[in-house]
Amino acid sequence: MKVNPLRKYLRDWALPHFFCPGCGCGQILNLFLRAADEINLDMDKLVAIGGVGCTARIPVYIKAEALHGVHGRTLAWATGIKLHNPDLNVVIFAGDGDIAAIGGNHLIHAARRNLDVNVIVNNNMNYAMTGGQVAPTTPLYLYTTTTPRGNMERTFDLCKLAETAGATFVSRWTTNHPRQIVKSIKEGMDHRGLTFIEIVSQCPTYFGRYALGSSRAEDTLKWIKERTVTKERAEGMSGEELEGKIVVGDFVRKDLPTLGDKYAELEKKAQGEE
Ligand code: SF4
């Protein structure tokens, strides 16, 4: 039997995975491993972190050091791990609720500090694991289990939030863009500073079923595709035309000192080594 070459990166005891058929989480796990394989990422130096939610289960399946803990606190752990051992590659797999609502404050400060970690956000536009509740990323007027008359709140633009807070590498793609995702992950792993990669994806079980009236993954993927515009095309569009659109592309690439650089510099000074 032909074995998938990425199978060697998965923990035997954790399989089979718990994702629903057609879920974007499986795609993101696959694309991360593909990127890791292509750059020969040292799995002995990888720490994969997840908070709570369907996406937060991704680290459980990867054969590397993994941390699976409380909701929204992934960046607090990542800060401690990275400052203690700067040689480690730290990757956070977070859902939109985990990183932008409960963990929103950690996100803005990690970005402000330019913490050298990689944040891969699976934005499936709802709180999936807990039953399809409305999230800060749920599009306006769509139905969720907690908005039976439609969502009345404006939607957070996660990439703009990360950029404004100071992230030095920001990209957004959708699960309709596997090649671009692999490329961004490869570049992001090489970047020094806070890497923020948002992937808009399908949760057929809750988002699809409640917001779009279909539990078929392909229907949500089609819905996402119809709303997607590239950054270049968006530049020629008005604010009104961009309402409800998913703008994809590479938004930020900056080379700035990281929190770890500053920490090392101050430590040297304190020890009179200047
Ligand atoms: Fe994926 Fe949604 Fe199922 Fe969670 S509930 S595993 S996000 S399809």
Side-chain angles (χ1 to χ4, degrees), residues 17-26 53-55 122 124 126-132 201-208:
H17 64 74
F18 95 135
F19 304 131
C20 307
C23 172
C25 292
C54 299
T55 313
N122 176 21
N124 55 23
N126 76 136
Y127 278 92
M129 185 186 256
T130 47
S201 85
Q202 69 283 11
C203 164
T205 302
Y206 286 113
F207 181 83

Side-chain angles (χ1 to χ4, degrees), residues 33-272:
L33 293 179
R34 209 188 294 177
D37 191 62
E38 286 180 18
I39 55 173
N40 289 318
L41 190 69
D42 184 350
M43 300 306 265
D44 289 336
K45 286 193 173 170
L46 175 68
V47 182
I49 306 180
V52 164
C54 299
T55 313
R57 291 281 295 213
I58 291 177
V60 175
Y61 303 114
I62 302 174
K63 227 186 252 175
E65 292 297 336
L67 232 161
H68 185 233
V70 291
H71 216 345
R73 306 292 171 241
T74 49
L75 278 156
W77 298 325
T79 305
I81 293 167
K82 193 69 195 180
L83 289 186
H84 180 70
N85 190 345
D87 287 341
L88 296 174
N89 272 315
V90 180
V91 182
I92 290 168
F93 293 92
D96 43 312
D98 197 26
I99 204 83
I102 293 167
N105 217 28
H106 290 291
L107 172 64
I108 57 174
H109 293 289
R112 174 176 68 85
R113 293 167 178 153
N114 199 23
L115 181 69
D116 184 20
V117 300
N118 304 279
V119 182
I120 299 177
V121 181
N122 176 21
N123 177 6
N124 55 23
M125 300 168 277
N126 76 136
Y127 278 92
M129 185 186 256
T130 47
Q133 295 90 348
V134 70
T137 44
T138 305
L140 204 57
Y141 306 127
L142 291 191
Y143 297 99
T144 68
T145 52
T146 49
T147 52
R149 293 181 182 168
N151 172 31
M152 61 182 178
E153 299 173 6
R154 287 174 62 197
T155 311
F156 239 158
D157 183 325
L158 301 187
C159 285
K160 276 194 184 153
L161 175 70
E163 178 177 357
T164 308
T168 49
F169 183 114
V170 180
S171 290
R172 179 191 290 121
W173 301 108
T174 78
T175 36
N176 290 311
H177 300 91
R179 279 199 307 266
Q180 291 90 334
I181 292 172
V182 170
K183 184 170 175 284
S184 283
I185 294 176
K186 282 161 61 178
E187 289 172 5
M189 295 302 292
D190 198 36
H191 175 75
R192 292 190 79 254
L194 194 114
T195 294
F196 187 88
I197 302 172
E198 178 187 350
I199 303 168
V200 180
S201 85
Q202 69 283 11
C203 164
T205 302
Y206 286 113
F207 181 83
R209 180 151 53 113
Y210 286 93
L212 310 179
S214 165
S215 308
R216 286 157 37 105
E218 56 268 44
D219 289 335
T220 306
L221 280 165
K222 190 165 170 267
W223 182 89
I224 291 172
K225 193 173 178 186
E226 286 164 358
R227 277 150 190 81
T228 301
V229 293
T230 61
K231 182 184 92 171
E232 292 72 22
R233 215 182 115 209
E235 276 161 14
M237 293 169 74
S238 67
E240 211 170 79
E241 287 170 319
L242 282 171
E243 199 66 50
K245 296 282 187 292
I246 301 164
V247 182
V248 296
D250 296 321
F251 302 110
V252 182
R253 296 291 187 269
K254 278 186 201 161
D255 192 12
L256 290 174
T258 67
L259 180 67
D261 294 339
K262 293 281 180 201
Y263 186 71
E265 187 187 312
L266 289 184
E267 202 167 48
K268 259 190 179 177
K269 271 190 191 160
Q271 290 176 4

